[in-house]
Amino acid sequence: MTQPRRLYATALAIAAAVIAVTGASTASAAAAPARAAGPNCAGPVSDTWVNVTIDRVRNGNGLMAVTLYADEPRKFLVKKGSMYVGRVPATAPETRMCLFVPKPGVYVLAVYHDEDSSTTIKRSGVLGLPEEGFGFSNNPATIASIPSFRSVRLNIAKTGLSTRIHLKYP
């Protein structure tokens, strides 16, 4: 599991290495995305991120996991279909974080409250329904089914945009 502080520290270490090789002005530019996004960010550092507020969080146990999917319906919610999962400590009643995305574009966010920090979502036996809180970008209805891909697509046209995701607990 990659901690947000480690990502920030890694970005600063890379910036220091760039200073040593190319000079301070280039290093300042390289470290700017990580500094501007803040320390509670997750995912591979890039120039583009989205601010995510996850509300209706019932407790501060464990982690909040935000899975990023590319704009490809065939990869949505399938094993190894995501681009990556960003995790930050959960806080109640809402968790605020940012998630780096590779570049501006259309993506899907799927969130779950990993209350036991197992890094996998708990599911019930036969039906495989989530046992931990979950939500999706655009907050579609999810009554006894997964949402349609079209309903969860999120256009991240530029860096620093914000979105709010409502958690639902079984």
Side-chain angles (χ1 to χ4, degrees):
M1 174 175 79
T2 302
Q3 295 291 332
R5 288 186 181 114
R6 280 192 179 165
L7 284 174
Y8 188 68
T10 301
L12 291 177
I14 290 169
V18 172
I19 287 173
V21 174
T22 63
S25 62
T26 305
S28 296
R35 266 199 312 271
N40 205 30
C41 290
V45 176
S46 74
D47 290 335
T48 308
W49 64 87
V50 60
N51 296 306
V52 183
T53 300
I54 303 144
D55 61 21
R56 302 179 185 169
V57 180
R58 70 177 170 195
N59 61 56
N61 299 341
L63 303 168
M64 199 59 64
V66 181
T67 305
L68 181 70
Y69 291 93
D71 192 22
E72 297 180 43
R74 63 184 173 78
K75 291 188 174 188
F76 179 52
L77 297 179
V78 300
K79 191 171 189 166
K80 300 191 186 244
S82 70
M83 298 176 78
Y84 51 84
V85 180
R87 293 178 177 88
V88 297
T91 57
E94 69 181 24
T95 300
R96 292 176 180 259
M97 64 168 294
C98 73
L99 186 71
F100 288 107
V101 297
K103 61 183 181 182
V106 176
Y107 299 93
V108 171
L109 303 179
V111 177
Y112 75 95
H113 184 184
D114 187 8
E115 291 179 275
D116 61 358
S117 298
S118 66
T119 69
T120 58
I121 187 166
K122 283 185 178 177
R123 296 183 178 275
S124 65
V126 179
L127 297 177
L129 298 174
E131 291 185 353
E132 296 177 297
F134 66 94
F136 297 94
S137 42
N138 301 328
N139 301 303
T142 54
I143 301 172
S145 69
I146 61 171
S148 71
F149 183 78
R150 187 180 342 179
S151 70
V152 293
R153 294 175 73 232
L154 180 65
N155 185 16
I156 303 171
K158 62 181 183 172
T159 198
L161 295 179
S162 296
T163 189
R164 180 174 290 270
I165 297 176
H166 308 308
L167 283 189
K168 297 175 185 176
Y169 289 87

